[in-house]
């Protein structure tokens, strides 16, 4: 059995070799001839998986080591009898930590406390619900918008997007890209929404570029009303608007989900789904794959202020390390994808043991996802 894997899937060659012959290939573009004798294909978000890629090929299973699935025509896969699995939630923690780093940097730059702001979360799934829990642990007021969950009658208080537009100081988007239907998200942020947004708001997009009309956002950022934008995703990728990059406070190359843990979970989730599909079920504990972190333990004295939290989280991940290189290379062919391919190792907050002398601090840090303890 031949299994094609995207070369940007850590641990994929090692794991899938347990099940067959593995070939690692680039995902954008995927070499067509490699598909001619492939039984299974493991991709990331940069590979469009549809009839034109796979019709007439022997592929029986497709896995995507990603949370988003807008690059996969799953209806066509089902009609062609091809098995499919994504990796829901694999990198949700990484996206949350990206958003926290960004917001605390803006708080420091603009002289505000996050806990004095209201954060509107649009899309309260794996990312949005974890973000909500961590913001609540810090005492930040949140407003949640998730019409599909509201319509399903899920527990919790869900609001229409317009309430968030009117009341939230910060709007952060964590929806799938839905091109149509009752819950369409394509250009959910358009010129009209941007015009209704009061001054001095922060907008974060770490889901899909097309959820925000990038031309309208550029116009808004060029206008007289103060607006701050953080963009990890662009319309289009990889050829983002250089004018827009110049105007955003933080801009990165679609790496919000790129913690080592997040990428490794993506690989293990599709590996486990595929091993099940072929009748050889196997599970892989994440700890068996991950190396020891660079910084494993720190001690923290006293109560937790936001500036102290900013310094602590930036021992693990500071989003500015990803903003600078994008500004350096944006516009040069191939460089966006290179930043993603040669991504410097990044860990999640849980990799850092924090020994605290203050019980309340230890408690908050645990709720935020650190491995904290009273020592
Ligand atoms: N920048 C990055 O590196 C990453 C980006 N993503 C993107 O973020 C998206 C969200 O990720 P997850 O939370 O893991 O997905 P998820 O599927 O767990 O959650 C998405 C939530 O959005 C809600 N939703 C759907 N349509 C909506 C609408 N019109 N308005 C408001 N809410 C709506 C859904 O009901 C669901 O609760 C993914 O679909 C993916 O496109 C995900 C991971 C990493
Ligand atoms: O999981 C998702 O959805 C994402 O957006 C991924 O983090 C994107 O990473 P690649 O699959 O493009 O490497």
């Amino acid at each position: 059995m031949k299994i094609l894997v995207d070369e940007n899937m850590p641990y994929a060659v090692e794991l899938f070799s347990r099940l067959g012959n593995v070939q690692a290939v680039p995902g954008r573009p995927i070499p067509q001839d490699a598909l001619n004798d492939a039984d299974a294909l493991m991709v990331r978000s940069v590979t469009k998986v549809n009839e034109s890629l796979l019709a007439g090929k022997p592929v029986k299973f497709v896995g995507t080591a990603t949370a988003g699935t807008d690059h996969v025509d799953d209806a066509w896969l089902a009609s062609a009898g091809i098995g499919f699995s994504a990796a829901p939630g694999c990198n949700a923690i990484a996206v949350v930590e990206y958003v926290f780093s960004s917001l605390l940097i803006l708080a420091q730059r603009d002289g505000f406390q996050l806990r004095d702001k209201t954060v509107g979360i649009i899309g309260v799934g794996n990312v949005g619900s974890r973000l909500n829990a961590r913001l609540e642990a810090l005492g930040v007021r949140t407003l949640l918008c998730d019409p599909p969950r509201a319509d399903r009658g899920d527990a919790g208080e869900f609001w229409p997007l317009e309430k968030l537009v009117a009341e939230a100081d910060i709007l952060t988007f964590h929806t799938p890209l839905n091109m149509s239907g009752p819950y369409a998200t394509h250009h959910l942020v358009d010129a009209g929404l941007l015009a209704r947004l009061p001054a001095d708001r922060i907008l974060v997009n770490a889901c899909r570029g097309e959820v925000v009309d990038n031309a309208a956002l550029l116009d808004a950022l060029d206008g007289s009303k103060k607006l701050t934008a953080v963009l990890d995703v662009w319309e289009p990728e990889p050829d983002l608007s250089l004018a827009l990059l110049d105007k955003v406070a933080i801009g990165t190359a679609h790496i919000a989900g790129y913690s080592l843990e997040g990428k490794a979970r993506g690989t293990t989730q599709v590996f486990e789904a595929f091993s099940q599909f072929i009748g050889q079920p196997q599970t892989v504990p994440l700890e068996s794959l991950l190396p020891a972190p660079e910084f494993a333990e720190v001690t923290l004295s006293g109560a937790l202020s936001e500036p102290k939290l900013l310094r602590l989280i930036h021992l693990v991940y500071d989003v500015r390390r990803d903003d600078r290189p994008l500004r350096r290379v944006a516009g040069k062919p191939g460089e966006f994808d290179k930043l993603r391919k040669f991504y410097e190792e990044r860990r999640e907050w849980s990799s850092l043991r924090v020994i605290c002398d203050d019980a309340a601090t230890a408690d908050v840090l645990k709720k935020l996802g650190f491995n904290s303890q009273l020592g």
Side-chain angles (χ1 to χ4, degrees):
M1 174 166 53
K2 177 172 155 185
I3 307 164
L4 279 191
V5 301
D6 185 299
E7 62 190 11
N8 292 345
M9 277 173 74
Y11 309 113
V13 173
E14 167 185 345
L15 288 179
F16 284 96
S17 294
R18 296 181 189 175
L19 305 173
N21 296 322
V22 178
Q23 184 184 350
V25 290
R28 179 157 57 191
I30 197 156
Q32 281 287 326
D33 56 344
L35 289 164
N36 290 337
D37 56 351
D39 301 288
L41 171 65
M42 308 299 156
V43 298
R44 301 197 57 90
S45 80
V46 294
T47 304
K48 301 268 177 253
V49 179
N50 50 28
E51 185 172 7
S52 78
L53 184 77
L54 292 183
K57 308 288 186 198
V59 170
K60 308 277 181 321
F61 182 92
V62 173
T64 181
T66 59
T69 55
D70 49 286
H71 54 295
V72 178
D73 185 346
D74 50 354
W76 181 79
L77 289 182
S79 71
I82 297 173
F84 173 60
S85 177
C90 62
N91 44 22
I93 292 170
V95 178
V96 170
E97 294 178 2
Y98 174 100
V99 174
F100 258 84
S101 172
S102 300
L103 295 183
L104 288 172
I105 288 166
L106 294 177
Q108 184 188 51
R109 186 193 78 173
D110 295 346
F112 66 82
Q113 291 244 81
L114 201 47
R115 59 169 65 92
D116 295 334
K117 298 292 183 189
T118 297
V119 178
I121 302 175
I122 302 96
V124 194
N126 281 295
V127 176
S129 58
R130 284 171 175 83
L131 178 60
N132 182 44
R134 289 190 184 190
L135 287 168
E136 284 187 341
L138 255 199
V140 179
R141 176 177 180 242
T142 57
L143 291 172
L144 308 181
C145 167
D146 193 314
R149 291 193 58 189
D151 291 352
R152 277 203 306 268
D154 280 9
E157 207 168 11
F158 297 106
W159 300 98
L161 180 55
E162 285 310 317
K163 180 176 169 82
L164 278 65
V165 170
E167 283 189 31
D169 303 290
I170 297 163
L171 293 176
T172 184
F173 288 82
H174 303 290
T175 68
L177 173 61
N178 299 332
M179 296 305 291
S180 59
Y183 305 118
T185 57
H186 182 260
H187 287 188
L188 191 58
V189 177
D190 60 7
L193 183 147
L194 290 163
R196 292 192 299 281
L197 208 57
D200 224 5
R201 297 305 204 237
I202 296 173
L203 185 149
V204 180
N205 187 9
C207 59
R208 284 293 179 267
E210 298 89 337
V211 170
V212 175
D213 179 339
N214 277 209
L217 178 61
L218 178 58
D219 283 347
L221 290 167
D222 274 334
S224 55
K225 189 168 69 183
K226 183 171 180 231
L227 171 66
T228 302
V230 175
L231 295 186
D232 178 54
V233 288
W234 306 85
E235 179 191 42
E237 290 174 16
D239 302 316
L240 57 89
S241 154
L242 297 183
L244 182 57
L245 176 61
D246 195 44
K247 293 280 173 189
V248 300
I250 295 170
T252 49
H254 195 154
I255 49 66
Y258 268 24
S259 64
L260 183 61
E261 287 89 339
K263 283 183 135 190
R265 273 185 220 106
T267 305
T268 58
Q269 284 179 230
V270 290
F271 171 77
E272 289 174 2
F274 181 57
S275 65
Q276 179 84 35
F277 180 81
I278 60 171
Q280 299 177 35
Q282 300 187 32
T283 53
V284 184
L286 204 60
E287 310 72 59
S288 67
L289 298 175
L290 296 175
E294 208 167 34
F295 298 102
E297 185 173 305
V298 292
T299 58
L300 192 71
S301 316
L304 189 66
S305 63
E306 284 192 16
K308 198 187 271 185
L309 177 63
L310 172 104
R311 291 194 292 279
L312 179 69
I313 70 172
H314 285 171
L315 289 178
V316 186
Y317 174 60
D318 180 339
V319 68
R320 287 170 293 199
R321 71 159 235 205
D322 291 323
D323 170 279
R324 283 186 292 265
L326 180 60
R327 290 180 199 275
R328 247 191 333 263
V329 303
K332 297 185 187 152
E335 294 293 327
F336 187 93
D337 281 346
K338 239 194 243 168
L339 288 178
R340 310 182 79 229
K341 180 171 177 182
F342 300 107
Y343 192 69
E344 186 191 339
E345 183 175 300
R346 160 182 160 201
R347 301 303 294 264
E348 294 179 356
W349 299 349
S350 61
S351 66
L352 188 63
R353 191 174 316 112
V354 188
I355 314 294
C356 308
D357 60 6
D358 178 84
T361 300
D363 183 48
V364 172
L365 289 178
K366 192 164 284 307
K367 289 182 179 144
L368 287 175
F370 284 93
N371 177 6
S372 62
Q373 49 194 262
L374 196 56

